[in-house]
PDB file of all heavy atoms in Angstrom:
ATOM      1  N   VAL A   8     -37.054 -48.445  42.547  1.00 98.00           N
ATOM      2  CA  VAL A   8     -36.883 -47.179  43.246  1.00 98.00           C
ATOM      3  C   VAL A   8     -36.518 -47.384  44.705  1.00 98.00           C
ATOM      4  O   VAL A   8     -37.323 -48.058  45.445  1.00 98.00           O
ATOM      5  CB  VAL A   8     -38.215 -46.274  43.104  1.00 98.00           C
ATOM      6  CG1 VAL A   8     -37.987 -44.994  43.760  1.00 98.00           C
ATOM      7  CG2 VAL A   8     -38.627 -46.219  41.653  1.00 98.00           C
ATOM      8  N   GLU A   9     -35.285 -46.950  45.075  1.00 97.00           N
ATOM      9  CA  GLU A   9     -34.843 -47.282  46.428  1.00 97.00           C
ATOM     10  C   GLU A   9     -35.297 -46.315  47.466  1.00 97.00           C
ATOM     11  O   GLU A   9     -35.438 -46.689  48.659  1.00 97.00           O
ATOM     12  CB  GLU A   9     -33.310 -47.311  46.410  1.00 97.00           C
ATOM     13  CG  GLU A   9     -32.759 -48.346  45.469  1.00 97.00           C
ATOM     14  CD  GLU A   9     -31.172 -48.286  45.428  1.00 97.00           C
ATOM     15  OE1 GLU A   9     -30.585 -47.299  45.985  1.00 97.00           O
ATOM     16  OE2 GLU A   9     -30.595 -49.274  44.851  1.00 97.00           O
ATOM     17  N   ARG A  10     -35.673 -45.063  47.057  1.00 98.00           N
ATOM     18  CA  ARG A  10     -35.986 -44.100  48.157  1.00 98.00           C
ATOM     19  C   ARG A  10     -37.570 -43.965  48.323  1.00 98.00           C
ATOM     20  O   ARG A  10     -38.284 -44.083  47.447  1.00 98.00           O
ATOM     21  CB  ARG A  10     -35.408 -42.684  47.723  1.00 98.00           C
ATOM     22  CG  ARG A  10     -34.030 -42.704  47.443  1.00 98.00           C
ATOM     23  CD  ARG A  10     -33.429 -41.359  47.205  1.00 98.00           C
ATOM     24  NE  ARG A  10     -33.373 -40.532  48.444  1.00 98.00           N
ATOM     25  CZ  ARG A  10     -32.918 -39.329  48.493  1.00 98.00           C
ATOM     26  NH1 ARG A  10     -32.407 -38.773  47.488  1.00 98.00           N
ATOM     27  NH2 ARG A  10     -32.886 -38.654  49.674  1.00 98.00           N
ATOM     28  N   GLY A  11     -37.899 -43.829  49.554  1.00 98.00           N
ATOM     29  CA  GLY A  11     -39.333 -43.719  49.978  1.00 98.00           C
ATOM     30  C   GLY A  11     -39.752 -42.367  49.946  1.00 98.00           C
ATOM     31  O   GLY A  11     -39.057 -41.362  49.556  1.00 98.00           O
ATOM     32  N   PRO A  12     -41.065 -42.127  50.444  1.00 98.00           N
ATOM     33  CA  PRO A  12     -41.685 -40.850  50.413  1.00 98.00           C
ATOM     34  C   PRO A  12     -40.999 -39.780  51.212  1.00 98.00           C
ATOM     35  O   PRO A  12     -41.102 -38.573  50.977  1.00 98.00           O
ATOM     36  CB  PRO A  12     -43.083 -41.061  50.963  1.00 98.00           C
ATOM     37  CG  PRO A  12     -42.904 -42.277  51.796  1.00 98.00           C
ATOM     38  CD  PRO A  12     -41.917 -43.097  51.101  1.00 98.00           C
ATOM     39  N   GLU A  13     -40.155 -40.193  52.267  1.00 98.00           N
ATOM     40  CA  GLU A  13     -39.494 -39.149  53.051  1.00 98.00           C
ATOM     41  C   GLU A  13     -38.571 -38.377  52.285  1.00 98.00           C
ATOM     42  O   GLU A  13     -38.165 -37.243  52.754  1.00 98.00           O
ATOM     43  CB  GLU A  13     -38.788 -39.888  54.273  1.00 98.00           C
ATOM     44  CG  GLU A  13     -37.669 -40.881  53.831  1.00 98.00           C
ATOM     45  CD  GLU A  13     -38.145 -42.185  53.407  1.00 98.00           C
ATOM     46  OE1 GLU A  13     -39.367 -42.505  53.423  1.00 98.00           O
ATOM     47  OE2 GLU A  13     -37.334 -42.928  52.766  1.00 98.00           O
ATOM     48  N   ALA A  14     -38.054 -38.864  51.118  1.00 98.00           N
ATOM     49  CA  ALA A  14     -37.207 -38.118  50.255  1.00 98.00           C
ATOM     50  C   ALA A  14     -37.831 -36.844  49.758  1.00 98.00           C
ATOM     51  O   ALA A  14     -37.102 -35.833  49.358  1.00 98.00           O
ATOM     52  CB  ALA A  14     -36.706 -38.967  49.062  1.00 98.00           C
ATOM     53  N   LEU A  15     -39.170 -36.783  49.668  1.00 98.00           N
ATOM     54  CA  LEU A  15     -39.819 -35.593  49.218  1.00 98.00           C
ATOM     55  C   LEU A  15     -39.456 -34.386  50.020  1.00 98.00           C
ATOM     56  O   LEU A  15     -39.528 -33.213  49.656  1.00 98.00           O
ATOM     57  CB  LEU A  15     -41.368 -35.745  49.249  1.00 98.00           C
ATOM     58  CG  LEU A  15     -41.953 -36.778  48.164  1.00 98.00           C
ATOM     59  CD1 LEU A  15     -43.374 -36.959  48.339  1.00 98.00           C
ATOM     60  CD2 LEU A  15     -41.626 -36.376  46.714  1.00 98.00           C
ATOM     61  N   ALA A  16     -39.097 -34.565  51.342  1.00 98.00           N
ATOM     62  CA  ALA A  16     -38.750 -33.437  52.182  1.00 98.00           C
ATOM     63  C   ALA A  16     -37.457 -32.705  51.752  1.00 98.00           C
ATOM     64  O   ALA A  16     -37.289 -31.606  52.166  1.00 98.00           O
ATOM     65  CB  ALA A  16     -38.639 -34.031  53.675  1.00 98.00           C
ATOM     66  N   GLU A  17     -36.689 -33.452  50.940  1.00 97.00           N
ATOM     67  CA  GLU A  17     -35.412 -32.801  50.467  1.00 97.00           C
ATOM     68  C   GLU A  17     -35.632 -32.028  49.193  1.00 97.00           C
ATOM     69  O   GLU A  17     -34.694 -31.326  48.716  1.00 97.00           O
ATOM     70  CB  GLU A  17     -34.419 -33.938  50.191  1.00 97.00           C
ATOM     71  CG  GLU A  17     -34.143 -34.835  51.404  1.00 97.00           C
ATOM     72  CD  GLU A  17     -33.173 -35.958  51.067  1.00 97.00           C
ATOM     73  OE1 GLU A  17     -32.593 -35.876  49.901  1.00 97.00           O
ATOM     74  OE2 GLU A  17     -33.160 -36.994  51.714  1.00 97.00           O
ATOM     75  N   ALA A  18     -36.754 -32.030  48.560  1.00 98.00           N
ATOM     76  CA  ALA A  18     -36.952 -31.609  47.242  1.00 98.00           C
ATOM     77  C   ALA A  18     -37.346 -30.031  47.227  1.00 98.00           C
ATOM     78  O   ALA A  18     -38.110 -29.546  48.073  1.00 98.00           O
ATOM     79  CB  ALA A  18     -38.099 -32.332  46.456  1.00 98.00           C
ATOM     80  N   ASP A  19     -36.816 -29.324  46.268  1.00 97.00           N
ATOM     81  CA  ASP A  19     -37.224 -27.951  45.954  1.00 97.00           C
ATOM     82  C   ASP A  19     -38.348 -27.988  44.883  1.00 97.00           C
ATOM     83  O   ASP A  19     -39.107 -27.055  44.845  1.00 97.00           O
ATOM     84  CB  ASP A  19     -36.018 -27.177  45.429  1.00 97.00           C
ATOM     85  CG  ASP A  19     -34.886 -27.255  46.390  1.00 97.00           C
ATOM     86  OD1 ASP A  19     -35.052 -26.711  47.599  1.00 97.00           O
ATOM     87  OD2 ASP A  19     -33.775 -27.586  45.939  1.00 97.00           O
ATOM     88  N   THR A  20     -38.291 -29.046  44.067  1.00 98.00           N
ATOM     89  CA  THR A  20     -39.355 -29.173  43.079  1.00 98.00           C
ATOM     90  C   THR A  20     -39.745 -30.676  43.051  1.00 98.00           C
ATOM     91  O   THR A  20     -38.901 -31.536  43.153  1.00 98.00           O
ATOM     92  CB  THR A  20     -38.826 -28.819  41.589  1.00 98.00           C
ATOM     93  OG1 THR A  20     -38.582 -27.424  41.573  1.00 98.00           O
ATOM     94  CG2 THR A  20     -39.853 -29.214  40.490  1.00 98.00           C
ATOM     95  N   ILE A  21     -41.094 -30.986  42.925  1.00 98.00           N
ATOM     96  CA  ILE A  21     -41.600 -32.329  42.849  1.00 98.00           C
ATOM     97  C   ILE A  21     -42.276 -32.455  41.599  1.00 98.00           C
ATOM     98  O   ILE A  21     -43.186 -31.701  41.254  1.00 98.00           O
ATOM     99  CB  ILE A  21     -42.495 -32.703  44.066  1.00 98.00           C
ATOM    100  CG1 ILE A  21     -41.728 -32.502  45.418  1.00 98.00           C
ATOM    101  CG2 ILE A  21     -43.091 -34.028  43.864  1.00 98.00           C
ATOM    102  CD1 ILE A  21     -42.604 -32.650  46.565  1.00 98.00           C
ATOM    103  N   VAL A  22     -41.881 -33.527  40.818  1.00 98.00           N
ATOM    104  CA  VAL A  22     -42.458 -33.755  39.450  1.00 98.00           C
ATOM    105  C   VAL A  22     -43.223 -35.123  39.569  1.00 98.00           C
ATOM    106  O   VAL A  22     -42.708 -36.112  40.106  1.00 98.00           O
ATOM    107  CB  VAL A  22     -41.373 -33.957  38.347  1.00 98.00           C
ATOM    108  CG1 VAL A  22     -42.083 -34.237  37.053  1.00 98.00           C
ATOM    109  CG2 VAL A  22     -40.498 -32.692  38.357  1.00 98.00           C
ATOM    110  N   VAL A  23     -44.545 -35.146  39.155  1.00 98.00           N
ATOM    111  CA  VAL A  23     -45.351 -36.304  39.131  1.00 98.00           C
ATOM    112  C   VAL A  23     -45.575 -36.698  37.672  1.00 98.00           C
ATOM    113  O   VAL A  23     -46.408 -36.050  36.932  1.00 98.00           O
ATOM    114  CB  VAL A  23     -46.728 -36.032  39.856  1.00 98.00           C
ATOM    115  CG1 VAL A  23     -47.498 -37.399  39.846  1.00 98.00           C
ATOM    116  CG2 VAL A  23     -46.505 -35.549  41.250  1.00 98.00           C
ATOM    117  N   PRO A  24     -44.924 -37.677  37.154  1.00 97.00           N
ATOM    118  CA  PRO A  24     -45.152 -38.151  35.760  1.00 97.00           C
ATOM    119  C   PRO A  24     -46.465 -38.924  35.655  1.00 97.00           C
ATOM    120  O   PRO A  24     -47.076 -39.309  36.726  1.00 97.00           O
ATOM    121  CB  PRO A  24     -43.985 -39.132  35.539  1.00 97.00           C
ATOM    122  CG  PRO A  24     -43.052 -38.966  36.577  1.00 97.00           C
ATOM    123  CD  PRO A  24     -43.787 -38.448  37.725  1.00 97.00           C
ATOM    124  N   THR A  25     -46.938 -39.146  34.443  1.00 95.00           N
ATOM    125  CA  THR A  25     -48.196 -39.907  34.255  1.00 95.00           C
ATOM    126  C   THR A  25     -48.071 -41.319  34.754  1.00 95.00           C
ATOM    127  O   THR A  25     -47.040 -42.017  34.712  1.00 95.00           O
ATOM    128  CB  THR A  25     -48.605 -39.820  32.852  1.00 95.00           C
ATOM    129  OG1 THR A  25     -49.953 -40.305  32.655  1.00 95.00           O
ATOM    130  CG2 THR A  25     -47.631 -40.567  31.902  1.00 95.00           C
ATOM    131  N   SER A  26     -49.230 -41.839  34.989  1.00 94.00           N
ATOM    132  CA  SER A  26     -49.349 -43.361  35.434  1.00 94.00           C
ATOM    133  C   SER A  26     -50.727 -43.766  34.880  1.00 94.00           C
ATOM    134  O   SER A  26     -51.655 -43.066  34.935  1.00 94.00           O
ATOM    135  CB  SER A  26     -49.243 -43.485  36.903  1.00 94.00           C
ATOM    136  OG  SER A  26     -49.751 -44.783  37.307  1.00 94.00           O
ATOM    137  N   TYR A  27     -50.732 -45.062  34.582  1.00 90.00           N
ATOM    138  CA  TYR A  27     -51.984 -45.707  34.105  1.00 90.00           C
ATOM    139  C   TYR A  27     -52.730 -46.402  35.208  1.00 90.00           C
ATOM    140  O   TYR A  27     -53.738 -47.033  35.062  1.00 90.00           O
ATOM    141  CB  TYR A  27     -51.752 -46.680  32.937  1.00 90.00           C
ATOM    142  CG  TYR A  27     -51.667 -46.009  31.579  1.00 90.00           C
ATOM    143  CD1 TYR A  27     -50.786 -46.487  30.630  1.00 90.00           C
ATOM    144  CD2 TYR A  27     -52.396 -44.854  31.246  1.00 90.00           C
ATOM    145  CE1 TYR A  27     -50.690 -45.953  29.411  1.00 90.00           C
ATOM    146  CE2 TYR A  27     -52.204 -44.221  30.034  1.00 90.00           C
ATOM    147  CZ  TYR A  27     -51.376 -44.801  29.150  1.00 90.00           C
ATOM    148  OH  TYR A  27     -51.194 -44.131  27.890  1.00 90.00           O
ATOM    149  N   GLU A  28     -52.234 -46.258  36.457  1.00 92.00           N
ATOM    150  CA  GLU A  28     -52.782 -46.897  37.559  1.00 92.00           C
ATOM    151  C   GLU A  28     -52.961 -45.898  38.785  1.00 92.00           C
ATOM    152  O   GLU A  28     -52.500 -46.072  39.912  1.00 92.00           O
ATOM    153  CB  GLU A  28     -51.940 -48.126  38.109  1.00 92.00           C
ATOM    154  CG  GLU A  28     -51.806 -49.206  37.052  1.00 92.00           C
ATOM    155  CD  GLU A  28     -50.855 -50.278  37.488  1.00 92.00           C
ATOM    156  OE1 GLU A  28     -50.591 -50.451  38.718  1.00 92.00           O
ATOM    157  OE2 GLU A  28     -50.356 -51.120  36.707  1.00 92.00           O
ATOM    158  N   LEU A  29     -53.730 -44.851  38.461  1.00 94.00           N
ATOM    159  CA  LEU A  29     -53.938 -43.787  39.424  1.00 94.00           C
ATOM    160  C   LEU A  29     -55.074 -44.146  40.482  1.00 94.00           C
ATOM    161  O   LEU A  29     -55.189 -43.376  41.407  1.00 94.00           O
ATOM    162  CB  LEU A  29     -54.268 -42.500  38.690  1.00 94.00           C
ATOM    163  CG  LEU A  29     -53.103 -41.851  37.907  1.00 94.00           C
ATOM    164  CD1 LEU A  29     -53.589 -40.628  37.104  1.00 94.00           C
ATOM    165  CD2 LEU A  29     -51.925 -41.502  38.790  1.00 94.00           C
ATOM    166  N   GLY A  30     -55.828 -45.175  40.137  1.00 94.00           N
ATOM    167  CA  GLY A  30     -56.861 -45.625  41.057  1.00 94.00           C
ATOM    168  C   GLY A  30     -57.853 -44.535  41.397  1.00 94.00           C
ATOM    169  O   GLY A  30     -58.371 -43.878  40.505  1.00 94.00           O
ATOM    170  N   GLN A  31     -58.162 -44.336  42.704  1.00 96.00           N
ATOM    171  CA  GLN A  31     -59.160 -43.378  43.134  1.00 96.00           C
ATOM    172  C   GLN A  31     -58.823 -41.927  42.768  1.00 96.00           C
ATOM    173  O   GLN A  31     -59.809 -41.129  42.681  1.00 96.00           O
ATOM    174  CB  GLN A  31     -59.450 -43.542  44.535  1.00 96.00           C
ATOM    175  CG  GLN A  31     -58.402 -43.132  45.533  1.00 96.00           C
ATOM    176  CD  GLN A  31     -58.684 -43.552  46.957  1.00 96.00           C
ATOM    177  OE1 GLN A  31     -58.735 -44.752  47.255  1.00 96.00           O
ATOM    178  NE2 GLN A  31     -58.942 -42.643  47.781  1.00 96.00           N
ATOM    179  N   ALA A  32     -57.693 -41.632  42.508  1.00 97.00           N
ATOM    180  CA  ALA A  32     -57.317 -40.208  42.139  1.00 97.00           C
ATOM    181  C   ALA A  32     -57.968 -40.023  40.718  1.00 97.00           C
ATOM    182  O   ALA A  32     -58.385 -38.838  40.461  1.00 97.00           O
ATOM    183  CB  ALA A  32     -55.810 -40.030  42.072  1.00 97.00           C
ATOM    184  N   TYR A  33     -58.010 -40.961  39.945  1.00 96.00           N
ATOM    185  CA  TYR A  33     -58.678 -40.796  38.640  1.00 96.00           C
ATOM    186  C   TYR A  33     -60.143 -41.111  38.645  1.00 96.00           C
ATOM    187  O   TYR A  33     -60.881 -40.415  37.889  1.00 96.00           O
ATOM    188  CB  TYR A  33     -57.999 -41.815  37.676  1.00 96.00           C
ATOM    189  CG  TYR A  33     -58.449 -41.714  36.189  1.00 96.00           C
ATOM    190  CD1 TYR A  33     -57.812 -40.863  35.299  1.00 96.00           C
ATOM    191  CD2 TYR A  33     -59.484 -42.468  35.746  1.00 96.00           C
ATOM    192  CE1 TYR A  33     -58.289 -40.679  34.069  1.00 96.00           C
ATOM    193  CE2 TYR A  33     -59.911 -42.399  34.408  1.00 96.00           C
ATOM    194  CZ  TYR A  33     -59.301 -41.411  33.557  1.00 96.00           C
ATOM    195  OH  TYR A  33     -59.770 -41.310  32.272  1.00 96.00           O
ATOM    196  N   THR A  34     -60.591 -42.013  39.391  1.00 96.00           N
ATOM    197  CA  THR A  34     -62.015 -42.406  39.362  1.00 96.00           C
ATOM    198  C   THR A  34     -62.793 -41.484  40.328  1.00 96.00           C
ATOM    199  O   THR A  34     -63.997 -41.220  40.144  1.00 96.00           O
ATOM    200  CB  THR A  34     -62.227 -43.913  39.749  1.00 96.00           C
ATOM    201  OG1 THR A  34     -61.681 -44.080  41.093  1.00 96.00           O
ATOM    202  CG2 THR A  34     -61.523 -44.768  38.707  1.00 96.00           C
ATOM    203  N   GLU A  35     -62.308 -41.118  41.414  1.00 97.00           N
ATOM    204  CA  GLU A  35     -63.033 -40.427  42.452  1.00 97.00           C
ATOM    205  C   GLU A  35     -62.550 -38.968  42.902  1.00 97.00           C
ATOM    206  O   GLU A  35     -63.179 -38.215  43.480  1.00 97.00           O
ATOM    207  CB  GLU A  35     -63.050 -41.246  43.779  1.00 97.00           C
ATOM    208  CG  GLU A  35     -63.671 -42.620  43.668  1.00 97.00           C
ATOM    209  CD  GLU A  35     -63.445 -43.448  44.942  1.00 97.00           C
ATOM    210  OE1 GLU A  35     -63.220 -42.793  46.003  1.00 97.00           O
ATOM    211  OE2 GLU A  35     -63.566 -44.653  44.888  1.00 97.00           O
ATOM    212  N   GLY A  36     -61.290 -38.694  42.348  1.00 97.00           N
ATOM    213  CA  GLY A  36     -60.764 -37.452  42.658  1.00 97.00           C
ATOM    214  C   GLY A  36     -60.152 -37.347  44.044  1.00 97.00           C
ATOM    215  O   GLY A  36     -60.090 -36.175  44.575  1.00 97.00           O
ATOM    216  N   THR A  37     -59.802 -38.409  44.687  1.00 97.00           N
ATOM    217  CA  THR A  37     -59.287 -38.384  46.019  1.00 97.00           C
ATOM    218  C   THR A  37     -58.012 -39.183  46.003  1.00 97.00           C
ATOM    219  O   THR A  37     -57.751 -40.053  45.180  1.00 97.00           O
ATOM    220  CB  THR A  37     -60.204 -38.944  47.024  1.00 97.00           C
ATOM    221  OG1 THR A  37     -60.622 -40.310  46.680  1.00 97.00           O
ATOM    222  CG2 THR A  37     -61.509 -38.169  47.111  1.00 97.00           C
TER     223      THR A  37
END
C-alpha cells in the first residue's frame, strides 16, 4: 500500500475491512 493516512483527507467514504490483528481495538476497545 503506497499511500499513507493523509489520503483519508481526500475521501468522501472510508471503508475499514476486517483484520485479524486489531490489537487493543479488539482487546481493550481503544
Side-chain angles (χ1 to χ4, degrees):
V8 182
E9 298 179 349
R10 305 186 70 177
E13 64 281 351
L15 293 176
E17 304 172 17
D19 303 301
T20 293
I21 297 173
V22 183
V23 184
T25 188
S26 165
Y27 281 146
E28 297 178 20
L29 291 174
Q31 68 191 68
Y33 184 86
T34 59
E35 303 172 17
T37 58

